[in-house]
Amino acid sequence: GRGEALRRAVLGPGHQAGVHLAQPAGVADPSGDIVTILDPLGRSPGGDRIVRRPLVYPGAQSYDVIADSSHRIVGVPIDSRIARVAHAWSLQSPQFVAGHLAEPRPTLVDVRDVRDRVEHLTPFFVQGSTVTPLVVADTIYWAVDLYAASNWYPLSVPIQALGQEWRYFQHAAVAVVDGFSGDVMIVPDPVLDPLARVWVQRFQSLFTTVAAL
């Protein structure tokens, strides 16, 4: 259907579902700046590729403070005394006031789990069952299918999807999350169902195109 066509456009013809982190548990290790992933396309010796350690990934917990001299990280700068005191109080963490923060331009990234980050921007969509890792150059991206769904819809019959019953369930978009910067890009289907069209028109600034990725 149109959802599968959009997935192929976003993921690209060379994508293979077998791309995955060689040691998923190691992603949560805060030490080091790179991780090794398996590369089924064999573009490097041993079938591995070296990529930057993702800041945002499935299952990431707690916040992190990153030095962001390039202004690429999607987070909250905490480079003033007032900002440090406010976040120390909000997060109940005295390190923002008393401790040393990453310099230059320390930036707080509070929501680091892929699904949570997408949910904060698109609570009106239902997420698919799979978070698909993509590798572009030295950066991991994460793709998640989004659906327009409802438990009630006139003159409809119930269907089973994602482990529960729905009266309305249509593919709406694909969310692509930059694992390094945390940026979330949402590409709507070329042909939208009526429910998804309402949300896309209401929040146009949230959405982009395949060509803009």
Side-chain angles (χ1 to χ4, degrees):
R2 62 176 182 264
E4 184 58 31
L6 177 61
R7 279 181 58 82
R8 287 197 298 268
V10 171
L11 303 184
H15 170 72
Q16 296 188 19
V19 177
H20 61 282
L21 296 174
Q23 297 178 346
V27 179
D29 181 0
S31 62
D33 296 321
I34 59 175
V35 293
T36 301
I37 65 166
L38 298 183
D39 179 12
L41 302 184
R43 288 168 292 191
S44 58
D48 295 341
R49 293 182 67 181
I50 303 300
V51 299
R52 290 182 292 188
R53 181 174 300 278
L55 171 66
V56 175
Y57 56 88
Q61 299 179 359
S62 187
Y63 61 84
D64 203 351
V65 179
I66 305 297
D68 183 30
S69 59
S70 61
H71 293 233
R72 283 194 56 197
I73 303 299
V74 181
V76 180
I78 47 175
D79 48 4
S80 71
R81 181 69 177 178
I82 293 177
R84 293 190 180 205
V85 171
H87 284 95
W89 179 264
S90 174
L91 298 172
Q92 294 297 292
S93 177
Q95 71 161 333
F96 286 94
V97 177
H100 173 72
L101 299 180
E103 295 286 355
R105 195 174 183 265
T107 299
L108 171 69
V109 181
D110 189 16
V111 180
R112 297 174 53 229
D113 176 75
V114 172
R115 289 191 180 278
D116 288 348
R117 207 163 176 86
V118 173
E119 175 69 17
H120 273 66
L121 291 177
T122 58
F124 41 81
F125 287 150
V126 173
Q127 297 183 27
S129 59
T130 303
V131 178
T132 304
L134 317 170
V135 180
V136 179
D138 63 349
T139 300
I140 297 179
Y141 294 81
W142 311 98
V144 184
D145 286 303
L146 301 177
Y147 298 86
S150 175
N151 293 319
W152 182 88
Y153 199 78
L155 304 177
S156 62
V157 295
I159 62 170
Q160 290 290 325
L162 303 178
Q164 70 179 91
E165 185 176 280
W166 303 95
R167 291 279 178 168
Y168 186 92
F169 193 85
Q170 296 287 337
H171 193 276
V174 174
V176 180
V177 183
D178 186 325
F180 176 72
S181 70
D183 190 20
V184 179
M185 299 152 282
I186 304 170
V187 183
D189 284 5
V191 179
L192 290 168
D193 66 278
L195 187 57
R197 187 183 305 116
V198 169
W199 293 118
V200 172
Q201 292 176 347
R202 177 64 180 83
F203 299 104
Q204 295 182 28
S205 61
L206 287 179
F207 298 90
T208 186
T209 64
V210 172
L213 291 179

